[in-house]
Amino acid sequence: MTPIPNSQFPIPNSQSENPNITWAVTFVNELARAGLTAVCIAPGSRSTPLTLAFDAHPDIQVYLHLDERSAAFFALGLALESDRPVALVCTSGTATANFYPAVIEAHMSQVPLLVLSTDRPPELRHSGANQTIDQVKMFGNHVLWAVDMDVPTAEATELALRNVKTTAVRAYATANGLRKGPVQVNFPFRKPLEPGGEQLSVNSYQLAVEAQTVMERGEVMPSSRQMSQLVEVVRQYERGLIVCGPRCPGGDFPVAVARLARACGYPLVADPLSGVRFGRWQEETAVIASYESQLVRNRNPWGHPDVVIRFGQVPTSKWLNDYLDNAHAAHVIHVRENGVWADDSHRVTMFLQASETAVCTQLAAQLPKRRPTTWLTTIAESERRHWAKLRPLLAEPFFDVTVVAEVVRLMPRNGRLIMGNSLPIRHLDQFGQPHNRPLHIFGNRGASGIDGNVSTALGVAAASHAPTVLVVGDITFYHDLNGLLAVRQHGLDNVVIVLLNNNGGGIFNRLPVATLEPPFTKLFITPHGLDFAPVVGMYGLGYTQANSREAFTAAFQAAMAEPGARVIEVRTNGRFDEARRREIVRLVNEGV
Ligand SMILES: Cc1ncc(C[n+]2csc(CCOP(=O)(O)OP(=O)(O)O)c2C)c(N)n1
């Protein structure tokens, strides 16, 4: 939580003629005090008090969006990048429902969002009133907390207004708690919705001073008993793996977990979304990323571990998960400070809710350093051999995997890389060779929807101001074309979208249903024949088509070299790409 430097806080000139405005200004002011700096707003009438209140606040950036679904995913991207809550505002009715996909993703990926829905007052609910649906707790179990506020009235007591303030602070703190996620606050506003006479401005926030609530949270530290148990387990077994799945903590965690891996003498298996695969620790640590290709051909090339220490979500790779499931390791220890269960094989033998970084640091410090074991060197050597064999195989012919490998190779230091669901994230998992330049990689893998991937990437770009690359399939791109408007609306000039256009859902070529022709192509691949260039032009992005390795490399390097927002489209053939990928996996494993 952002520390608040002062024990006294400005509260708004709450004596507006319109109690809706008083409520909204008070609520927004408390959110800002708690640390909120960004809100995504979609237009509408019922939301007028909140919209005007946010617009007038000097410390909160307003991102206006026309489409609520894109707005919510853009907010998700802002929150992913900044790791702090972002608010969302829209009008009543289905507008709010359009937030739902992003709310689900935020819940499942523990991303902090504050959904501020606006509603008719109780007397108009369930009455056939226009644009009125049941918004109370409408996100069900996909939010951490749902509050239905009182209707603002001129006669409200001081207690009622204090409630508005603490609800704001609590909503922010809940979204940003140990377990992060979305919170819904539903505001019933009775007409009139506009300020009575006065114009809202910064001045609305600059009047009285009053002490108010601050909510803080600490870190969860492992106990000495728990640490002794872990030390005992690691000392006992030489054959261990450290597995970092998606959404591991940032900050000092990657360095701490790499140090732990070295102290244990365990390979560090790094999902592309773990934040651990790319970075300087990679040079001295056995970072393993070849599992998807190695384990698909030979389900058990290294033998099985006795200990698995896990961090983050369930890994992306099916073959890695199968391998871990079949290992029957004596100890599967999952460390997660947010306490969210993530083990669909139900093999975890000890779930430790404690700070991941603290556990890694303390454990590494308490372990006697282990000399490299055969277990470690065998796996590390198989990793090295794998990439050495793979590299030349990716050179020719040009196909979708080549593009992903080139993007990884050419990404600038600290660039942001967002991988669309479907093949892009899987290709990165399988073909993204670890290197020592730090990259920040994101993907909506909580619910793995192909909706909103464009907007998520643009939200990351807006918050990061760093070179931001989205690699996305054509259907995923199509799904969120509306999101492209954010490029112009918010002046984004640090965005490259690599559009892998195989004219349909190429991922389905991997499924057994692919042999059922017809109806496979018509109903699963779903070729659409769309020409995206005019749409990209309509939204004001640059457009290049690159259908060879040289053309792609040149276009990508040019795009990285100068500010702008552009799409590089690569047209490929999904069937060929999948056949080539399989062939490469076969070749790379030959003779192993
Ligand atoms: C919202 C949503 N609808 C449908 C799906 C099912 N689905 C998964 S991948 C996919 C096709 C994606 O095609 P494309 O974006 O072109 O990527 P490719 O498979 O070619 O990599 C579909 C429809 C989903 N995951 N999410």
Side-chain angles (χ1 to χ4, degrees), residues 61-139:
Q61 179 152 7
V62 173
Y63 294 94
L64 181 84
H65 290 263
L66 303 189
D67 176 326
E68 286 81 8
R69 188 170 66 163
S70 297
F73 277 106
F74 187 92
L76 183 88
L78 290 173
L80 273 170
E81 167 64 31
S82 63
D83 197 27
R84 57 203 297 182
V86 173
L88 274 161
V89 173
C90 72
T91 190
S92 64
T94 57
T96 320
N98 277 283
F99 287 161
Y100 213 147
V103 168
I104 291 172
E105 178 59 30
H107 186 256
M108 301 200 61
S109 287
Q110 295 92 49
V111 183
L113 287 183
L114 287 167
V115 180
L116 310 180
S117 50
T118 55
D119 202 349
R120 299 291 197 274
E123 66 271 18
L124 294 181
R125 294 177 183 171
H126 310 286
S127 70
N130 178 44
Q131 212 176 309
T132 307
I133 66 169
D134 188 353
Q135 294 182 189
V136 176
K137 299 196 175 177
M138 70 180 284
F139 299 109

Side-chain angles (χ1 to χ4, degrees), residues 40 342 350:
C40 294
M350 178 193 189

Side-chain angles (χ1 to χ4, degrees), residues 421-424 448-451 473-476 479 502 504-508:
N421 281 322
S422 207
L423 291 176
S448 298
I450 57 165
D451 41 358
D474 45 282
I475 294 184
T476 309
H479 230 290
N502 54 19
I507 194 160
F508 296 126

Side-chain angles (χ1 to χ4, degrees), residues 329-521:
H331 297 274
V332 180
I333 296 155
H334 194 182
V335 183
R336 261 201 129 177
E337 190 177 23
N338 68 20
V340 179
W341 185 261
D343 174 26
D344 58 346
S345 66
H346 304 279
R347 293 272 184 213
V348 167
T349 56
M350 178 193 189
F351 186 101
L352 176 57
Q353 185 170 8
S355 155
E356 293 89 341
T357 306
V359 169
C360 290
T361 307
Q362 293 186 25
L363 189 52
Q366 291 177 32
L367 285 170
K369 193 158 167 28
R370 184 172 266 150
R371 285 213 206 88
T373 59
T374 314
W375 164 257
L376 176 69
T377 49
T378 306
I379 298 178
E381 179 53 23
S382 78
E383 170 81 10
R384 197 198 56 73
R385 263 203 323 265
H386 170 87
W387 295 111
K389 278 182 98 171
L390 182 71
R391 238 172 281 128
L393 294 172
L394 292 184
E396 284 298 333
F398 181 69
F399 72 129
D400 59 356
V401 165
T402 322
V403 176
V404 173
E406 276 298 275
V407 168
V408 171
R409 190 176 71 85
L410 298 170
M411 279 296 291
R413 261 186 104 70
N414 285 318
R416 275 38 175 191
L417 179 58
I418 297 90
M419 299 310 280
N421 281 322
S422 207
L423 291 176
I425 182 59
R426 288 168 212 279
H427 285 344
L428 180 67
D429 194 14
Q430 188 166 16
F431 300 101
Q433 181 175 357
H435 60 56
N436 61 9
R437 260 170 302 128
L439 289 182
H440 302 259
I441 306 183
F442 303 92
N444 287 344
R445 295 303 293 175
S448 298
I450 57 165
D451 41 358
N453 289 201
V454 171
S455 296
T456 305
L458 298 182
V460 169
S464 71
H465 305 290
T468 300
V469 177
L470 167 69
V471 182
V472 70
D474 45 282
I475 294 184
T476 309
F477 184 63
Y478 161 81
H479 230 290
D480 194 15
L481 286 174
N482 277 0
L484 290 174
L485 184 61
V487 167
R488 199 161 51 192
Q489 289 277 74
H490 308 305
L492 304 178
D493 65 355
N494 55 338
V495 180
V496 176
I497 298 176
V498 176
L499 169 59
L500 291 176
N501 185 357
N502 54 19
N503 194 25
I507 194 160
F508 296 126
N509 283 308
R510 294 186 173 193
L511 298 181
V513 74
T515 56
L516 291 185
E517 197 71 270
F520 173 67
T521 298

Side-chain angles (χ1 to χ4, degrees), residues 216-232:
E216 298 279 353
R217 67 171 157 76
E219 266 180 293
V220 183
M221 287 296 146
S223 70
S224 52
R225 179 187 59 81
Q226 291 160 344
M227 289 314 301
S228 309
Q229 269 178 295
L230 295 186
V231 170
E232 208 35 56

